[in-house]
Amino acid sequence: MLISEKQALTERVGMLVQKYGNSRSALIPILQDIQYNFKYVSDFEQQEVARLLDIHPVEVYSVVSFYSFLSPNIRGKYIVRLCQTISCELSGKEKVAKAIERELGIKFGETTKDKKFTLEYTNCMGMCDQSPAMMINEKVYANLTPEKAVQILKEVK
Amino acid sequence: MENKIERKGQVIFSGYKYGEGIKKALKLSPQDILFELRESKLRGRGGAGFPTSTKWMLTAATLDPEKYLICNADEGEPGTFKDRVLLTEYFNLVFDGMVIGGYTIKAKYGILYLRGEYKYMVPDIEAHLEKMRKDNLLGKSILGKEDFNFDIEIRLGTGAYICGEETALIESLEGSRGEARNRPPFPVNRGYMGKPSSVNNVETFANIPFIVMKGGKWYSKLGTEKSTGTKLFSVSGDCEKPDVYELPWGTKVSELLELVGAKNTKAVQVGGASGQCIPKSQFDRMLAYEDLSTGGSIKIFNESRNMLHILKNFMEFFVEESCGQCVPCRVGNVKLLEGTEMLLKGEFTFEYINKLKELGRTMKIASKCGLGQSSPNPFLSILENFKDEVFNQGMEE
């Protein structure tokens, strides 16, 4: 990584620490902010957060690796999460999953080459009465059919 | 997504004017409110059913000036979506309930722990909190009551089912992995930041304004003797009208099935993945803490469904969501999932399955928190209640 890039990252993490405070309880909001804006939390950012909060980098990594909405690896701009829990499963999740895989050309757990889409499963997201459902970043889409899911992805593209 | 309107119910869906409950509460003393709450016999709506009045009394009784009131909106139990409905359509009730709670236990800080999946609700909730601050229902000297300051902050979850467990939720608020703590000490003595904290469910808060306005006696007349009041049931699965229904405790499963238009029902999963699965012969049982206790999730399966597929889905859920801290839960769930797969293929011995049942019972005793203590429930109840179907599969060919 270029030194200027590193400096920019350090500065950005510093600003976040100013915004959320440097107590341990600010750790998750800081990581959520980084995740939201950059879709993943890089090793370097994890080290910087640790330094500024005065905790061990391992502590930061332990948190990043624990929560499914935080990621230490690079992700796509749009994270597509399809619900895999029972109601969605029973109402045709499988067909929707196949359609999405075909449309994006990747399997679940993968990211497209252009870093635009990441596809993954998630557990119950509270849309069981309107299943199957998926989230694209923060937005929720319910009552999916294969055609509808593909249509939504096309609009996002 | 859409939310349906025009729900009817005896308490939460009976209609409410914003701010009313707080106005009434501030005319009473905290002791009076605790008394009404005890009269009402309200129990926690998250599923465990701990008496709310006891929790608040214990928190109110501590002398520490810094206390926290936490609203647990980390609704992750498969099949539960009542909090989604409450927080998008009835948030008046929830936040008025929280302010009353803050007044009762003398807390200055309220925290809404909202699950990450519900992040899209934040702008609306923020706008409402801002409105409350403008109307002097939140902030400093609420409604002119000089020493009553209370404000609510939203904290987002990060996609972990385990954080619905109160001590794991507190760990997560403090910036750690969501791993449950040993109890005691209980959060009412040492919770968030080591300070006394009361963690209550969204639906519990939504009941509070009504108990304050109409009295605990009135509330205790609804429902059954041990389970008073009403409950929101999130109904999904094979039925015509999946939705959230408000029904008094003590309603029979068969009555509920009729109401939601369920046909050819084979099984009902009461209480989400960690609940139990009951067959047709038990549909006359009651939904109540003393019989079928539930946090509100009702899943309906019709004759066409394969119970082992359903069980496999539940066990996969637990394998993924176990935090991995204690052995019975981390290893046990994997073993139960393997057992389910064996049953699906028909490659099993009864001796081994009996061992797995024993393992399930051990997990219920030996796991550290509610997740591992309840995750064997679907395995045990499906194997018990659907014996014929379960053991004959994979044998046919």
Side-chain angles (χ1 to χ4, degrees), chain B residues 41-274:
Chain B
K41 294 191 227 157
L42 176 68
R43 295 168 70 170
R45 294 295 193 243
F50 191 77
T52 309
S53 63
T54 311
K55 204 181 246 183
W56 284 14
M57 249 179 241
L58 289 169
T59 324
T62 55
L63 296 170
D64 204 312
E66 199 183 329
K67 295 178 199 175
Y68 294 92
L69 182 67
I70 300 167
C71 176
N72 182 349
D74 193 62
E75 162 181 75
E77 190 61 53
T80 322
F81 43 93
K82 64 186 175 60
D83 294 353
R84 182 195 88 215
V85 170
L86 284 173
L87 287 169
T88 46
E89 294 170 62
Y90 302 87
F91 43 52
N92 273 338
L93 282 170
V94 179
F95 296 117
D96 284 13
M98 279 185 81
V99 174
I100 297 169
Y103 176 68
T104 311
I105 67 167
K106 302 192 189 69
K108 286 194 191 75
Y109 311 99
I111 299 172
L112 172 72
Y113 188 90
L114 188 67
R115 69 185 300 210
E117 286 86 342
Y118 290 171
K119 192 175 176 186
Y120 63 88
M121 296 174 187
V122 171
D124 285 351
I125 295 176
E126 284 284 13
H128 180 73
L129 293 178
E130 204 43 56
K131 185 174 165 226
M132 285 177 81
R133 285 186 196 108
K134 255 191 206 137
D135 295 343
N136 197 220
L137 293 169
L138 207 60
K140 292 218 163 104
S141 319
I142 293 171
L143 292 177
K145 199 110 181 162
E146 263 181 26
D147 48 355
F148 178 38
N149 307 322
F150 183 76
D151 213 324
I152 299 172
E153 184 195 352
I154 304 175
R155 293 284 294 271
L156 278 172
T158 326
Y161 168 73
I162 181 70
C163 289
E165 202 277 344
E166 58 176 4
T167 58
L169 186 153
I170 290 168
E171 282 286 314
S172 155
L173 279 178
E174 291 179 359
S176 304
R177 294 160 72 89
E179 290 175 345
R181 293 175 180 172
N182 279 325
R183 297 187 290 182
F186 290 96
V188 290
N189 295 318
R190 238 182 292 158
Y192 181 51
M193 295 299 181
K195 301 291 179 188
S197 312
S198 175
V199 185
N200 298 94
N201 186 263
V202 176
E203 191 187 341
T204 311
F205 282 117
N207 277 300
I208 302 288
F210 295 102
I211 293 174
V212 168
M213 286 191 311
K214 298 188 178 173
K217 267 245 154 63
W218 165 81
Y219 193 83
S220 69
K221 279 183 195 138
L222 301 165
T224 70
E225 200 185 320
K226 282 186 185 152
S227 319
T228 58
T230 60
K231 177 82 189 88
L232 298 185
F233 293 102
S234 317
V235 184
S236 64
D238 300 315
C239 63
E240 279 163 18
K241 293 174 278 183
D243 198 1
V244 173
Y245 292 84
E246 182 180 7
L247 297 169
W249 280 115
T251 302
K252 284 188 180 142
V253 176
S254 52
E255 290 167 354
L256 181 97
L257 289 178
E258 196 167 321
L259 185 70
V260 303
K263 287 187 189 98
N264 290 327
T265 308
K266 172 159 87 174
V268 177
Q269 178 82 15
V270 183
S274 63

Side-chain angles (χ1 to χ4, degrees), chain A residues 12 19 115:
Chain A
R12 217 174 56 214
K19 184 176 171 192
K115 302 275 179 282

Side-chain angles (χ1 to χ4, degrees), chain A residues 1-12:
Chain A
M1 204 188 294
L2 290 171
I3 291 181
S4 59
E5 276 177 36
K6 276 192 174 178
Q7 278 170 345
L9 278 178
T10 305
E11 206 173 297
R12 217 174 56 214

Side-chain angles (χ1 to χ4, degrees), chain A residues 54-117:
Chain A
D54 199 18
I55 51 180
H56 199 283
V58 163
E59 298 255 339
V60 178
Y61 180 71
S62 81
V63 170
V64 173
S65 58
F66 182 85
Y67 293 101
S68 59
F69 281 15
L70 296 174
S71 162
N73 306 317
I74 199 154
R75 296 285 182 95
K77 188 176 169 204
Y78 299 102
I79 301 179
V80 182
R81 294 188 170 98
L82 181 66
C83 177
Q84 63 177 352
T85 311
I86 193 77
S87 291
C88 292
E89 163 99 27
L90 295 182
S91 54
K93 170 216 90 181
E94 207 51 49
K95 278 184 193 152
V96 175
K98 289 254 161 63
I100 298 175
E101 278 184 341
R102 276 200 305 269
E103 182 64 23
L104 297 179
I106 49 171
K107 299 261 177 244
F108 277 83
E110 295 177 352
T111 301
T112 51
K113 277 209 181 105
D114 59 1
K115 302 275 179 282
K116 205 157 181 198
F117 288 97

Side-chain angles (χ1 to χ4, degrees), chain B residues 5 19 23 29 35 44 74 76 86 105 118 127 146 187 209 212 215 218 236 259 318-319 343 353 361-362 368 388 397:
Chain B
I5 34 165
K23 279 174 200 150
S29 72
F35 178 78
D74 193 62
L86 284 173
I105 67 167
Y118 290 171
E146 263 181 26
V212 168
W218 165 81
S236 64
L259 185 70
F318 286 121
V319 167
L343 285 166
I353 295 301
R361 286 189 287 269
T362 310
K368 189 169 174 185
D388 292 344
E397 281 168 55

